[in-house]
Amino acid sequence: MIEIKICGVTRMADVELCVDLGVEALGLNFWPRSPRCVDADFARRVRDAFPQLELVGVFVNPSSETLRTFREQAGLNALQLHGDESPDFVRAHACAYKAVPVASEADVAHALSFGERILVDAPAGALRGGAGETFDWTLVAGLSAKRHVTLAGGLRSTNVSLAIEVARPARVDVASGVESAPGVKDSAKLRAFVEAVRAHR
């Protein structure tokens, strides 16, 4: 069963639609430079309203204190790290996992150093994710057989079926592919994406 994570949610109405559609996880971005950035108060409102959701905090090069504070204040289940964090840093935080940009076999080998759970994404430079670009999914098919892989990067309703067939991830992650503007989810795109993934269940 392929899980679905909708990332970069900024509005409670979009949270409610995700819940209605049976989405398993939401990504809440706490990087100040992101157009999808939210605060801990928003996250706490989501947690209190929908305790069944997996809430994933998205960070870039955070301190350990920042992660502890946000996890406690926002009620986060997991921490998704998009910066230059080392394997040791990731391992030091039990609910953290690394987002790894993949453009080559060497990147895949590097991803293996980060433990059991990994997010793979297209290289996005300073944007640190959410750029809507795809990458060569064949690179991570073998990785998916060894790790719990979340596939991100340019996914949308029109390509997620092929992405699943090729990459065989445990979870798919989408932000810009279901938006009308950064942080504003498009209900028709979101429904179409979920339906496309559900076809593989």
Side-chain angles (χ1 to χ4, degrees):
M1 185 175 70
I2 308 298
E3 297 179 347
I4 300 172
K5 174 170 166 280
I6 305 300
C7 203
V9 178
T10 64
R11 306 186 306 169
M12 190 58 74
D14 294 334
V15 175
E16 292 168 356
L17 178 56
C18 288
V19 171
D20 289 344
L21 293 173
V23 167
E24 286 83 5
L26 297 184
L28 302 179
N29 199 316
F30 299 110
W31 188 37
R33 291 175 57 187
S34 171
R36 301 175 181 89
C37 186
V38 296
D39 58 24
D41 288 341
F42 176 78
R44 176 51 66 179
R45 286 195 287 122
V46 174
R47 165 56 66 227
D48 291 345
F50 303 105
Q52 74 276 24
L53 280 172
E54 179 183 337
L55 292 188
V56 181
V58 178
F59 300 88
V60 177
N61 294 324
S63 67
S64 292
E65 182 60 31
T66 294
L67 292 180
R68 282 192 293 269
T69 299
F70 270 92
R71 189 181 180 196
E72 292 171 3
Q73 292 182 352
L76 302 175
N77 301 105
L79 309 168
Q80 183 175 304
L81 307 180
H82 275 262
D84 306 305
E85 300 87 4
S86 69
D88 286 343
F89 184 88
V90 176
R91 282 193 290 269
H93 301 85
C95 64
Y97 63 92
K98 188 75 176 75
V100 180
V102 173
S104 67
E105 293 287 356
D107 294 330
V108 174
H110 179 58
L112 287 167
S113 68
F114 285 102
E116 174 59 28
R117 191 174 180 185
I118 306 163
L119 181 142
V120 290
D121 201 351
L127 293 175
R128 302 285 186 172
E133 300 293 331
T134 60
F135 66 100
D136 182 358
W137 300 317
T138 64
L139 289 169
V140 298
L143 182 65
S144 295
K146 302 173 183 176
R147 298 289 191 271
H148 182 288
V149 168
T150 297
L151 180 67
L155 299 180
R156 48 187 51 84
S157 63
T158 54
N159 68 7
V160 70
S161 180
L162 178 60
I164 291 170
E165 290 294 333
V166 174
R168 298 292 180 180
R171 172 177 285 183
V172 290
D173 186 318
V174 63
S176 61
V178 294
E179 290 180 336
S180 56
V184 179
K185 305 310 179 191
D186 180 292
S187 60
K189 290 180 181 179
L190 185 53
R191 288 180 185 278
F193 183 86
V194 172
E195 289 172 4
V197 177
R198 294 286 188 253
H200 288 268
R201 297 190 170 194

